[in-house]
């Protein structure tokens, strides 16, 4: 009876362990499926800055296959040369002090493709303890389209839609900066004013469309 009880307990522990292992495996498979189908690039990295994970969207975004990326320094693959030193120093500082200004934050910076093309991205990165050290994971989202739209909106707000020249808002801002600089340096500031003689005559005799073409032509010569 004691032997049967002992064997029963052992068997129960084996079943529990198998169940836990199956649950863990299923959880890992679900996580892998989420990472692989994510709309953002996902990159895993060890404490030496080498790539440990690289999903399909990372392949699309950066031009490197998973097989090519795994094991290589992430700095060489996606970080523009002028930022690599800061990247390495940031990892070293975190591993030494356990403090970081970027972990858990959403940052906007520039990434680099295989053919050296730079583009703006939004980065979210976090660290996970692995034994006595850490591993790093990051989701990277291409924000090129958003930045282009933002630039267009700013341009429209500060420029005349017909001629493309600076509008009153931008003009006053530039004059303000020029006057402030003049006040500090003592150098004079000059403002040039141009008037188109008989412009009303052009509008009245040839129509507003002709007047618009004249303004665009003059603006092209000024610009």
């Amino acid at each position: 009876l004691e032997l049967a009880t002992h064997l029963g307990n052992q068997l129960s522990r084996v079943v529990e362990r198998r169940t836990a292992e199956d649950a863990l495996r299923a959880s890992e498979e679900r996580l892998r499926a989420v990472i692989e189908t994510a709309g953002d690039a996902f990159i895993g990295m060890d404490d030496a800055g080498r790539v440990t994970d690289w999903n399909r969207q990372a392949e699309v975004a950066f031009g490197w296959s998973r097989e090519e990326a795994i094991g290589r320094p992430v700095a060489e693959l996606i970080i523009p040369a002028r930022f690599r030193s800061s990247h390495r120093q940031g990892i070293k500082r975190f591993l030494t002090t356990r403090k970081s200004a970027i972990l858990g934050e959403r940052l906007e910076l520039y990434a680099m493709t295989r053919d050296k093309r730079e583009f703006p991205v939004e980065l979210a990165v976090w660290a996970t303890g692995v034994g006595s050290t850490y591993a790093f994971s990051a989701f990277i989202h291409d924000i090129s389209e958003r930045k282009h739209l933002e630039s267009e909106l700013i341009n429209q707000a500060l420029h005349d839609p017909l001629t493309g020249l600076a509008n009153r808002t931008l003009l006053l801002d530039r004059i303000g900066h020029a006057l402030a600089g003049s006040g500090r340096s003592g150098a004079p500031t000059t403002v040039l004013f141009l008037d188109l003689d008989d412009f009303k005559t052009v509008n009245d005799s040839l129509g507003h469309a002709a007047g618009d073409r004249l303004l665009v032509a003059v603006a092209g010569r000024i610009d």
Side-chain angles (χ1 to χ4, degrees):
L1 181 59
E2 291 179 358
L3 178 60
T5 301
H6 177 71
L7 291 175
N9 290 337
Q10 293 293 332
L11 181 59
S12 177
R13 282 194 285 269
V14 169
V15 171
E16 289 175 357
R17 186 168 60 249
R18 288 280 181 85
T19 301
E21 290 174 351
D22 290 343
L24 178 60
R25 188 178 304 109
S27 177
E28 290 175 345
E29 290 175 353
R30 288 194 297 271
L31 177 60
R32 184 76 248 162
V34 169
I35 289 174
E36 286 301 323
T37 57
D40 295 338
F42 175 83
I43 297 176
M45 185 179 67
D46 64 16
D47 60 358
R50 294 183 297 260
V51 175
T52 58
D53 204 349
W54 189 268
N55 72 350
R56 294 172 188 167
Q57 192 57 36
E59 294 182 327
V60 173
F62 301 109
W64 300 94
S65 68
R66 177 181 172 85
E67 291 72 20
E68 292 173 319
I70 296 296
R72 295 186 60 179
V74 70
E76 296 179 3
L77 300 179
I78 70 169
I79 299 179
R82 64 186 183 279
F83 300 132
R84 291 174 188 172
S85 177
S86 297
H87 163 75
R88 296 187 182 99
Q89 290 173 9
I91 294 177
K92 183 178 180 180
R93 183 168 54 252
F94 173 76
L95 294 175
T96 302
T97 66
R98 300 298 188 262
K99 295 180 180 179
S100 172
I102 69 170
L103 292 179
E105 302 293 333
R106 287 189 175 273
L107 305 175
E108 292 186 6
L109 39 77
Y110 279 87
M112 180 183 70
T113 63
R114 183 171 189 160
D115 59 3
K116 309 300 183 185
R117 178 181 63 84
E118 295 185 18
F119 63 103
V121 298
E122 184 179 73
L123 169 72
V125 60
W126 66 96
T128 305
V130 180
S132 61
T133 187
Y134 284 83
F136 303 91
S137 303
F139 275 107
I140 303 173
H141 180 65
D142 185 348
I143 58 173
S144 299
E145 184 175 352
R146 190 180 84 194
K147 286 296 184 181
H148 175 72
L149 291 175
E150 289 175 357
S151 178
E152 285 294 314
L153 289 174
I154 293 173
N155 185 70
Q156 291 173 16
L158 299 177
H159 293 81
D160 177 69
L162 177 63
T163 63
L165 295 178
N167 62 13
R168 181 186 299 272
T169 300
L170 184 54
L171 173 64
L172 294 177
D173 177 75
R174 292 295 183 267
I175 291 177
H177 282 290
L179 291 175
S182 178
R184 290 191 298 269
S185 66
T189 296
T190 302
V191 177
L192 178 64
F193 179 80
L194 298 179
D195 188 20
L196 289 181
D197 293 338
D198 297 323
F199 179 68
K200 185 176 184 302
T201 303
V202 174
N203 269 338
D204 293 343
S205 60
L206 301 176
H208 290 286
D212 287 348
R213 289 196 297 272
L214 175 59
L215 289 175
V216 171
V218 172
R221 296 191 180 192
I222 295 173
D223 196 20

